[in-house]
Amino acid sequence: ARSTTTSTPNYEDLVLPTIVERKRIDDLAKSIRDGRWREQKFRLRASGLQVAYIVEGGAAIARAGLPEETLRQAMVNTSIIDGFRVVETRDLSDTSEWLAQMTRALERQYTRQTLTAVNQDQFKTQTTTMQKTALMPLSYFNRVSAKKQRRLTVADQFAKALMALAGCSADKAAAMTVLY
């Protein structure tokens, strides 16, 4: 989306409030096994955006490399605990159709809106009606979401270690880093 921030034509690229992560079912299984899954979800949640998590190829779940129950539980946890919208698609064609529908919905929502740029803190605290027109600038989003490349603090390292424990979500780890 584009915004004008002043009365002069000063356009800025803005980030829509939804981010989409697409995983093939076999990649989801690999991510769970090697620990990338928790870190990726943590970074997605830290973005401050709504997350749509597409799991593609559900028909191949039996050949994904983990028990079906484990993968189904991971999807349920991603929805309930992490608050992501989990979308299961059959294949790349089905995923493409879902993305096209989402694009059309976003176009309907934003085409005739006057959009303004806000920083991440303002974005997180704005009211529901403001969220339709106040969006984060892409330059700001890129700067604050480059956390994978930044040096980790002791608290960040502690949180990552806690999340490696079974049953310790990002929220629980964050709460423990505040206390300890």
Side-chain angles (χ1 to χ4, degrees):
R2 287 197 175 254
S3 162
T4 181
T5 54
T6 64
S7 58
T8 60
N10 180 19
Y11 294 99
E12 187 167 15
D13 289 325
L14 299 176
V15 176
L16 295 175
T18 301
I19 190 166
V20 177
E21 172 75 13
R22 173 186 160 260
K23 288 258 189 220
R24 286 187 335 265
I25 195 75
D26 61 325
D27 189 39
L28 175 61
K30 288 176 192 170
S31 294
I32 291 169
R33 274 197 312 272
D34 67 18
R36 288 181 295 133
W37 179 63
R38 286 179 183 229
E39 182 185 340
Q40 290 166 348
K41 290 191 315 174
F42 183 78
R43 281 186 283 124
L44 286 167
R45 286 199 16 224
S47 73
L49 303 174
Q50 300 165 0
V51 179
Y53 201 88
I54 299 174
V55 180
E56 182 181 291
I61 199 165
R63 300 184 311 274
L66 280 178
E68 181 174 350
E69 300 84 34
T70 301
L71 292 167
R72 294 270 175 223
Q73 188 64 52
M75 288 186 269
V76 168
N77 289 349
T78 299
S79 176
I80 295 171
I81 295 170
D82 298 307
F84 295 178
R85 177 180 177 189
V86 177
V87 178
E88 291 185 65
T89 60
R90 291 181 305 275
D91 52 27
L92 184 57
S93 176
D94 197 24
T95 299
S96 297
E97 179 57 35
W98 186 87
L99 289 169
Q101 288 175 8
M102 183 174 186
T103 299
R104 287 189 292 274
L106 290 170
E107 285 172 342
R108 283 190 302 275
Q109 183 174 353
Y110 290 101
T111 296
R112 292 190 172 81
Q113 298 282 344
T114 300
L115 305 174
T116 56
V118 297
N119 68 33
Q120 188 181 32
D121 293 331
Q122 292 168 321
F123 182 78
K124 285 181 178 180
T125 60
Q126 65 186 320
T127 65
T128 305
T129 53
M130 286 175 61
Q131 280 187 337
K132 294 181 180 175
T133 59
L135 302 171
M136 206 182 316
L138 180 61
S139 58
Y140 182 79
F141 176 77
N142 286 338
R143 206 170 40 251
V144 298
S145 65
K147 292 179 181 171
K148 188 174 183 180
Q149 299 160 347
R150 73 174 169 90
R151 295 182 65 149
L152 297 177
T153 65
V154 172
D156 294 334
Q157 289 286 13
F158 182 47
K160 283 182 76 170
L162 289 170
M163 289 190 313
L165 301 172
C168 188
S169 68
D171 283 338
K172 290 176 184 174
M176 284 188 257
T177 60
V178 169
L179 289 173
Y180 304 103

